[in-house]
Amino acid sequence: MSDEQQTAAAPSRATFPNPVIPGFHPDPSICRVDDDYYVVCSSFEYFPGIPVFHSRDLIHWTQIGNALDRPSQLRLSAGTPSSGGIYAPTLRHHDGRFWLIVTNVTGDGGNMLFSAADPAGPWSEPVRLPGVPGIDPDLAWDEDGVCRCTVAGVSQVRIDPRTGETSGPPRRLWSGAPDAKAPEAPHLYRIGDYWYLLIAEGGTERCHGVSIARGRTPDGPFEPCPHNPVLTHRGTDHPVQNTGHADLVQGPDGSWWMVVLGVRPRGGTPGWHVLGRETFLTPVEWVDGWPVVATVKAELPAPSWPLVPTPVEPVRDDFDLSELRPRWISVRDRPAEHCTTEQRPGWLTLRARGASLDDPDVVFVGRRQQHLTCRARTRVDPGEGRGGLAVRLDERHHYEIEAREGEVRVLSRVGTLRTVEASRSVPAGPVTLVAHITDAPQRDARSGPDILTLGVEEADGTFTALGSLDGRYLSTEVAGGFTGRVIGMYASAGAVHFDWFDYEPLRP
Ligand code: 6LW
């Protein structure tokens, strides 16, 4: 049986890990069509943008594509900073089509709408929405087919989703608690006799929460839920923190669920989360017409409906396809002249543009770190160029092991500090570079979350560590912003060839 055919979990399992979509997958928006569920997430400075996931049981998810996978849909200029670019999508199904609305917060982007017959793609060219100001756009259609777009703040405008035309100025709706920070991530739903307006408030950090109001019409007025916030982990010691930015869905048995972003801070105080904001699932019950949302747990009980496990992702990508698999993302763009599997069949060739990972023009192909402990390896032939294996939080926070002919070096960049941590000679030709991410020993209040050990694999298969670096410096609490770690390959000079890339979780 090949890796692709194995299944993720024995159907008899009693509990399932939450996050259901681990790693940097924030701002989830969910949509159900019959027995199929789809989730999209924010993608910021990465291209392709907006990862799209599919599930048949709400527990097991597979990435089926990236909605914005052509430069005509997404052009992120070199001026796009990390955590700029593409924010908070909403995915909906209406009139036989899937509709996706997102904001590009950088350049001339603004709000954009895309549609598709199949969420795996292709998605349409963008319809621009100059009349819709603000981030976190939502789409909702009423019984007459009128489409409303609701944005952070919270305000609403009627739109024609096919043309992007708006009618009338944006109207203010309900903004959560009167003194709450950042009323955002609105979603409007018709459920039973009411229209519900679900929002996030308190900001996407430790005070994040979810509140709701209801009205008899989609225009309001909205009456706040008497027990708002309906979900928050602020001031608690739950292992999952920052819970907010939610979207509602009904399970196969008619039960209600919420997808919500959360983080897993670890180490001493104040706690560092390194995988970015992840997508969790939590059950919802309705009492007196209001949702009662369960605490977001790190494990989910087995649901009452049949599980449909998805194929386990193979450890190795051999770069034997002409297209890169959907999990691979690059910084801002990925032109074929800088990234190809055609030049040397079975290898990924990266041709440098920027001279290091500090450069907004860096040629980088990586995947999200999705497990708290894991190992990444790649076999690289630097030829006459220079490149290697990097763990990237953003352009100012990254660790890498870099090869050039006859030498490897471990490099770190933290804020303004750039350090050569170690170097050593290696035989000319291909070399296997390794990044090993393990738990940090918890010694006292200052212990970090994890340790990144970078090194090389010798010809006999043994591992030689060249540097062990504190993981806290590649965390959101240090770097700031909205993203998480991405691990991958890069070229910093000339053409660099990669034979394969392994990513192996060390714990589920
Ligand atoms: C997003 C806002 C948020 O637009 O973070 O967690 C911002 N919530 O709703 C960026 O993802």
PDB file of all heavy atoms in Angstrom, residues 23-44:
ATOM      1  N   GLY A  23      -1.416  24.305  12.146  1.00  0.00           N
ATOM      2  CA  GLY A  23      -0.476  25.201  11.470  1.00  0.00           C
ATOM      3  C   GLY A  23      -1.173  26.507  11.121  1.00  0.00           C
ATOM      4  O   GLY A  23      -2.362  26.710  11.384  1.00  0.00           O
ATOM      5  N   PHE A  24      -0.398  27.383  10.491  1.00  0.00           N
ATOM      6  CA  PHE A  24      -0.832  28.740  10.153  1.00  0.00           C
ATOM      7  C   PHE A  24      -2.018  28.690   9.163  1.00  0.00           C
ATOM      8  O   PHE A  24      -1.838  28.711   7.956  1.00  0.00           O
ATOM      9  CB  PHE A  24       0.427  29.472   9.663  1.00  0.00           C
ATOM     10  CG  PHE A  24       0.278  30.522   8.620  1.00  0.00           C
ATOM     11  CD1 PHE A  24      -0.666  31.530   8.724  1.00  0.00           C
ATOM     12  CD2 PHE A  24       1.146  30.539   7.530  1.00  0.00           C
ATOM     13  CE1 PHE A  24      -0.783  32.497   7.750  1.00  0.00           C
ATOM     14  CE2 PHE A  24       1.048  31.506   6.552  1.00  0.00           C
ATOM     15  CZ  PHE A  24       0.079  32.483   6.658  1.00  0.00           C
ATOM     16  N   HIS A  25      -3.211  28.541   9.723  1.00  0.00           N
ATOM     17  CA  HIS A  25      -4.467  28.522   8.951  1.00  0.00           C
ATOM     18  C   HIS A  25      -5.497  29.332   9.721  1.00  0.00           C
ATOM     19  O   HIS A  25      -6.398  28.781  10.354  1.00  0.00           O
ATOM     20  CB  HIS A  25      -4.948  27.081   8.747  1.00  0.00           C
ATOM     21  CG  HIS A  25      -4.067  26.287   7.831  1.00  0.00           C
ATOM     22  ND1 HIS A  25      -3.281  25.235   8.256  1.00  0.00           N
ATOM     23  CD2 HIS A  25      -3.826  26.418   6.501  1.00  0.00           C
ATOM     24  CE1 HIS A  25      -2.608  24.747   7.221  1.00  0.00           C
ATOM     25  NE2 HIS A  25      -2.919  25.448   6.144  1.00  0.00           N
ATOM     26  N   PRO A  26      -5.375  30.677   9.690  1.00  0.00           N
ATOM     27  CA  PRO A  26      -6.259  31.522  10.496  1.00  0.00           C
ATOM     28  C   PRO A  26      -7.519  31.941   9.757  1.00  0.00           C
ATOM     29  O   PRO A  26      -7.646  31.745   8.549  1.00  0.00           O
ATOM     30  CB  PRO A  26      -5.377  32.738  10.771  1.00  0.00           C
ATOM     31  CG  PRO A  26      -4.497  32.851   9.580  1.00  0.00           C
ATOM     32  CD  PRO A  26      -4.318  31.462   9.021  1.00  0.00           C
ATOM     33  N   ASP A  27      -8.421  32.562  10.534  1.00  0.00           N
ATOM     34  CA  ASP A  27      -9.618  33.212   9.977  1.00  0.00           C
ATOM     35  C   ASP A  27     -10.454  32.230   9.159  1.00  0.00           C
ATOM     36  O   ASP A  27     -10.845  32.527   8.018  1.00  0.00           O
ATOM     37  CB  ASP A  27      -9.224  34.414   9.086  1.00  0.00           C
ATOM     38  CG  ASP A  27      -8.289  35.383   9.801  1.00  0.00           C
ATOM     39  OD1 ASP A  27      -8.412  35.525  11.023  1.00  0.00           O
ATOM     40  OD2 ASP A  27      -7.435  35.987   9.122  1.00  0.00           O
ATOM     41  N   PRO A  28     -10.754  31.031   9.719  1.00  0.00           N
ATOM     42  CA  PRO A  28     -11.452  30.041   8.901  1.00  0.00           C
ATOM     43  C   PRO A  28     -12.861  30.488   8.545  1.00  0.00           C
ATOM     44  O   PRO A  28     -13.581  31.047   9.367  1.00  0.00           O
ATOM     45  CB  PRO A  28     -11.500  28.808   9.804  1.00  0.00           C
ATOM     46  CG  PRO A  28     -11.458  29.349  11.205  1.00  0.00           C
ATOM     47  CD  PRO A  28     -10.574  30.568  11.110  1.00  0.00           C
ATOM     48  N   SER A  29     -13.241  30.222   7.309  1.00  0.00           N
ATOM     49  CA  SER A  29     -14.630  30.388   6.896  1.00  0.00           C
ATOM     50  C   SER A  29     -15.069  29.055   6.322  1.00  0.00           C
ATOM     51  O   SER A  29     -14.334  28.421   5.559  1.00  0.00           O
ATOM     52  CB  SER A  29     -14.759  31.499   5.868  1.00  0.00           C
ATOM     53  OG  SER A  29     -16.106  31.585   5.429  1.00  0.00           O
ATOM     54  N   ILE A  30     -16.265  28.603   6.718  1.00  0.00           N
ATOM     55  CA  ILE A  30     -16.710  27.257   6.356  1.00  0.00           C
ATOM     56  C   ILE A  30     -18.009  27.311   5.576  1.00  0.00           C
ATOM     57  O   ILE A  30     -18.838  28.208   5.796  1.00  0.00           O
ATOM     58  CB  ILE A  30     -16.855  26.379   7.619  1.00  0.00           C
ATOM     59  CG1 ILE A  30     -17.073  24.909   7.245  1.00  0.00           C
ATOM     60  CG2 ILE A  30     -17.974  26.881   8.545  1.00  0.00           C
ATOM     61  CD1 ILE A  30     -16.825  23.943   8.400  1.00  0.00           C
ATOM     62  N   CYS A  31     -18.176  26.333   4.694  1.00  0.00           N
ATOM     63  CA  CYS A  31     -19.360  26.285   3.846  1.00  0.00           C
ATOM     64  C   CYS A  31     -19.706  24.819   3.641  1.00  0.00           C
ATOM     65  O   CYS A  31     -18.818  24.000   3.398  1.00  0.00           O
ATOM     66  CB  CYS A  31     -18.987  26.975   2.535  1.00  0.00           C
ATOM     67  SG  CYS A  31     -20.106  26.779   1.212  1.00  0.00           S
ATOM     68  N   ARG A  32     -20.987  24.503   3.789  1.00  0.00           N
ATOM     69  CA  ARG A  32     -21.431  23.119   3.588  1.00  0.00           C
ATOM     70  C   ARG A  32     -22.311  23.037   2.353  1.00  0.00           C
ATOM     71  O   ARG A  32     -23.206  23.866   2.175  1.00  0.00           O
ATOM     72  CB  ARG A  32     -22.240  22.666   4.801  1.00  0.00           C
ATOM     73  CG  ARG A  32     -22.813  21.291   4.607  1.00  0.00           C
ATOM     74  CD  ARG A  32     -23.655  20.842   5.778  1.00  0.00           C
ATOM     75  NE  ARG A  32     -24.218  19.533   5.465  1.00  0.00           N
ATOM     76  CZ  ARG A  32     -24.985  18.843   6.274  1.00  0.00           C
ATOM     77  NH1 ARG A  32     -25.293  19.318   7.468  1.00  0.00           N
ATOM     78  NH2 ARG A  32     -25.447  17.663   5.910  1.00  0.00           N
ATOM     79  N   VAL A  33     -22.088  22.025   1.514  1.00  0.00           N
ATOM     80  CA  VAL A  33     -22.977  21.749   0.392  1.00  0.00           C
ATOM     81  C   VAL A  33     -23.262  20.253   0.426  1.00  0.00           C
ATOM     82  O   VAL A  33     -22.360  19.440   0.180  1.00  0.00           O
ATOM     83  CB  VAL A  33     -22.349  22.145  -0.967  1.00  0.00           C
ATOM     84  CG1 VAL A  33     -23.323  21.865  -2.101  1.00  0.00           C
ATOM     85  CG2 VAL A  33     -21.967  23.611  -0.963  1.00  0.00           C
ATOM     86  N   ASP A  34     -24.470  19.890   0.795  1.00  0.00           N
ATOM     87  CA  ASP A  34     -24.853  18.482   0.984  1.00  0.00           C
ATOM     88  C   ASP A  34     -23.892  17.829   1.990  1.00  0.00           C
ATOM     89  O   ASP A  34     -23.767  18.302   3.102  1.00  0.00           O
ATOM     90  CB  ASP A  34     -24.896  17.744  -0.366  1.00  0.00           C
ATOM     91  CG  ASP A  34     -25.888  18.410  -1.311  1.00  0.00           C
ATOM     92  OD1 ASP A  34     -26.927  18.895  -0.820  1.00  0.00           O
ATOM     93  OD2 ASP A  34     -25.616  18.472  -2.515  1.00  0.00           O
ATOM     94  N   ASP A  35     -23.180  16.778   1.548  1.00  0.00           N
ATOM     95  CA  ASP A  35     -22.293  16.070   2.495  1.00  0.00           C
ATOM     96  C   ASP A  35     -20.867  16.592   2.466  1.00  0.00           C
ATOM     97  O   ASP A  35     -19.975  15.996   3.078  1.00  0.00           O
ATOM     98  CB  ASP A  35     -22.256  14.570   2.131  1.00  0.00           C
ATOM     99  CG  ASP A  35     -23.617  13.939   2.328  1.00  0.00           C
ATOM    100  OD1 ASP A  35     -24.404  14.457   3.150  1.00  0.00           O
ATOM    101  OD2 ASP A  35     -23.899  12.930   1.649  1.00  0.00           O
ATOM    102  N   ASP A  36     -20.620  17.648   1.742  1.00  0.00           N
ATOM    103  CA  ASP A  36     -19.255  18.153   1.603  1.00  0.00           C
ATOM    104  C   ASP A  36     -19.092  19.464   2.362  1.00  0.00           C
ATOM    105  O   ASP A  36     -19.975  20.322   2.322  1.00  0.00           O
ATOM    106  CB  ASP A  36     -18.921  18.381   0.128  1.00  0.00           C
ATOM    107  CG  ASP A  36     -18.911  17.079  -0.641  1.00  0.00           C
ATOM    108  OD1 ASP A  36     -18.033  16.245  -0.362  1.00  0.00           O
ATOM    109  OD2 ASP A  36     -19.815  16.884  -1.489  1.00  0.00           O
ATOM    110  N   TYR A  37     -17.955  19.578   3.023  1.00  0.00           N
ATOM    111  CA  TYR A  37     -17.621  20.785   3.788  1.00  0.00           C
ATOM    112  C   TYR A  37     -16.352  21.376   3.192  1.00  0.00           C
ATOM    113  O   TYR A  37     -15.434  20.637   2.807  1.00  0.00           O
ATOM    114  CB  TYR A  37     -17.362  20.436   5.253  1.00  0.00           C
ATOM    115  CG  TYR A  37     -18.580  19.889   5.947  1.00  0.00           C
ATOM    116  CD1 TYR A  37     -18.884  18.539   5.878  1.00  0.00           C
ATOM    117  CD2 TYR A  37     -19.433  20.729   6.653  1.00  0.00           C
ATOM    118  CE1 TYR A  37     -20.010  18.031   6.490  1.00  0.00           C
ATOM    119  CE2 TYR A  37     -20.565  20.224   7.271  1.00  0.00           C
ATOM    120  CZ  TYR A  37     -20.852  18.881   7.194  1.00  0.00           C
ATOM    121  OH  TYR A  37     -21.972  18.389   7.803  1.00  0.00           O
ATOM    122  N   TYR A  38     -16.301  22.693   3.169  1.00  0.00           N
ATOM    123  CA  TYR A  38     -15.127  23.382   2.641  1.00  0.00           C
ATOM    124  C   TYR A  38     -14.720  24.485   3.608  1.00  0.00           C
ATOM    125  O   TYR A  38     -15.588  25.159   4.180  1.00  0.00           O
ATOM    126  CB  TYR A  38     -15.430  24.001   1.266  1.00  0.00           C
ATOM    127  CG  TYR A  38     -15.854  22.967   0.255  1.00  0.00           C
ATOM    128  CD1 TYR A  38     -17.202  22.701   0.042  1.00  0.00           C
ATOM    129  CD2 TYR A  38     -14.901  22.222  -0.429  1.00  0.00           C
ATOM    130  CE1 TYR A  38     -17.597  21.722  -0.856  1.00  0.00           C
ATOM    131  CE2 TYR A  38     -15.293  21.234  -1.332  1.00  0.00           C
ATOM    132  CZ  TYR A  38     -16.642  20.990  -1.542  1.00  0.00           C
ATOM    133  OH  TYR A  38     -17.022  20.016  -2.419  1.00  0.00           O
ATOM    134  N   VAL A  39     -13.420  24.642   3.797  1.00  0.00           N
ATOM    135  CA  VAL A  39     -12.882  25.725   4.633  1.00  0.00           C
ATOM    136  C   VAL A  39     -11.839  26.488   3.836  1.00  0.00           C
ATOM    137  O   VAL A  39     -11.044  25.883   3.092  1.00  0.00           O
ATOM    138  CB  VAL A  39     -12.252  25.166   5.944  1.00  0.00           C
ATOM    139  CG1 VAL A  39     -11.270  26.154   6.564  1.00  0.00           C
ATOM    140  CG2 VAL A  39     -13.333  24.818   6.970  1.00  0.00           C
ATOM    141  N   VAL A  40     -11.838  27.806   3.985  1.00  0.00           N
ATOM    142  CA  VAL A  40     -10.767  28.649   3.432  1.00  0.00           C
ATOM    143  C   VAL A  40     -10.143  29.448   4.575  1.00  0.00           C
ATOM    144  O   VAL A  40     -10.802  29.672   5.603  1.00  0.00           O
ATOM    145  CB  VAL A  40     -11.280  29.612   2.341  1.00  0.00           C
ATOM    146  CG1 VAL A  40     -11.666  28.861   1.082  1.00  0.00           C
ATOM    147  CG2 VAL A  40     -12.454  30.461   2.852  1.00  0.00           C
ATOM    148  N   CYS A  41      -8.886  29.853   4.405  1.00  0.00           N
ATOM    149  CA  CYS A  41      -8.153  30.588   5.452  1.00  0.00           C
ATOM    150  C   CYS A  41      -7.389  31.743   4.818  1.00  0.00           C
ATOM    151  O   CYS A  41      -7.148  31.752   3.610  1.00  0.00           O
ATOM    152  CB  CYS A  41      -7.152  29.657   6.129  1.00  0.00           C
ATOM    153  SG  CYS A  41      -7.933  28.262   6.958  1.00  0.00           S
ATOM    154  N   SER A  42      -6.939  32.668   5.657  1.00  0.00           N
ATOM    155  CA  SER A  42      -6.113  33.793   5.189  1.00  0.00           C
ATOM    156  C   SER A  42      -4.726  33.296   4.761  1.00  0.00           C
ATOM    157  O   SER A  42      -4.245  32.285   5.257  1.00  0.00           O
ATOM    158  CB  SER A  42      -5.898  34.798   6.310  1.00  0.00           C
ATOM    159  OG  SER A  42      -7.100  35.303   6.791  1.00  0.00           O
ATOM    160  N   SER A  43      -4.081  34.073   3.883  1.00  0.00           N
ATOM    161  CA  SER A  43      -2.756  33.647   3.413  1.00  0.00           C
ATOM    162  C   SER A  43      -1.712  34.760   3.401  1.00  0.00           C
ATOM    163  O   SER A  43      -0.543  34.508   3.118  1.00  0.00           O
ATOM    164  CB  SER A  43      -2.871  33.029   2.028  1.00  0.00           C
ATOM    165  OG  SER A  43      -3.605  33.888   1.169  1.00  0.00           O
ATOM    166  N   PHE A  44      -2.094  36.021   3.623  1.00  0.00           N
ATOM    167  CA  PHE A  44      -1.168  37.147   3.808  1.00  0.00           C
ATOM    168  C   PHE A  44      -0.180  37.293   2.653  1.00  0.00           C
ATOM    169  O   PHE A  44      -0.621  37.386   1.520  1.00  0.00           O
ATOM    170  CB  PHE A  44      -0.482  37.038   5.178  1.00  0.00           C
ATOM    171  CG  PHE A  44      -1.515  37.027   6.256  1.00  0.00           C
ATOM    172  CD1 PHE A  44      -1.969  35.835   6.805  1.00  0.00           C
ATOM    173  CD2 PHE A  44      -2.105  38.203   6.654  1.00  0.00           C
ATOM    174  CE1 PHE A  44      -2.980  35.831   7.759  1.00  0.00           C
ATOM    175  CE2 PHE A  44      -3.111  38.213   7.607  1.00  0.00           C
ATOM    176  CZ  PHE A  44      -3.545  37.026   8.154  1.00  0.00           C
TER     177      PHE A  44
END
